[in-house]
Amino acid sequence: MSAHAQFHCKPACGELIETILRLEPDKSAAIHGIVLDPADKPIPGVSVLLFRTGEAQGESTLIAKASTDPAGHFVFGPLEGDVLYQVRAFRNDTTIRVLE
């Protein structure tokens, strides 16, 4: 899905190794975003879920999970192109109360 190339070598002392790496075009996609509060401040630690949605009404499959970093950023990828995805974000502001 993503284009890459690699090789291993162990140059001898004083040896110069020249090489050419050719990559095929990368056809994969990615989704990157930032989660902000109403005052446009980034929110760290938000759960972000990625769903692949189907042709049928309401059909969706969870395919990835992420959490926002300290700057509120998240990323999903590599992804298949020309597919409909849905991103959902959840912030846990729950207060825990112990009952006796």
Side-chain angles (χ1 to χ4, degrees), residues 22-96:
R22 286 191 172 78
L23 294 178
E24 294 297 319
D26 186 357
K27 299 188 187 293
S28 64
I31 298 172
H32 173 265
I34 184 170
V35 179
L36 303 173
D37 68 11
D40 289 336
K41 288 180 163 180
I43 306 174
V46 172
S47 295
V48 185
L49 307 178
L50 180 67
F51 293 85
R52 181 182 179 132
T53 59
E55 299 296 322
Q57 180 69 23
E59 180 185 329
S60 63
T61 304
L62 177 65
I63 60 169
K65 300 175 186 178
S67 293
T68 56
D69 67 10
H73 293 101
F74 67 91
V75 65
F76 294 109
L79 300 172
E80 186 179 345
D82 296 322
V83 171
L84 183 61
Y85 296 98
Q86 180 184 48
V87 177
R88 299 180 197 167
F90 298 93
R91 182 175 168 183
N92 187 358
D93 288 337
T94 305
T95 301
I96 298 174

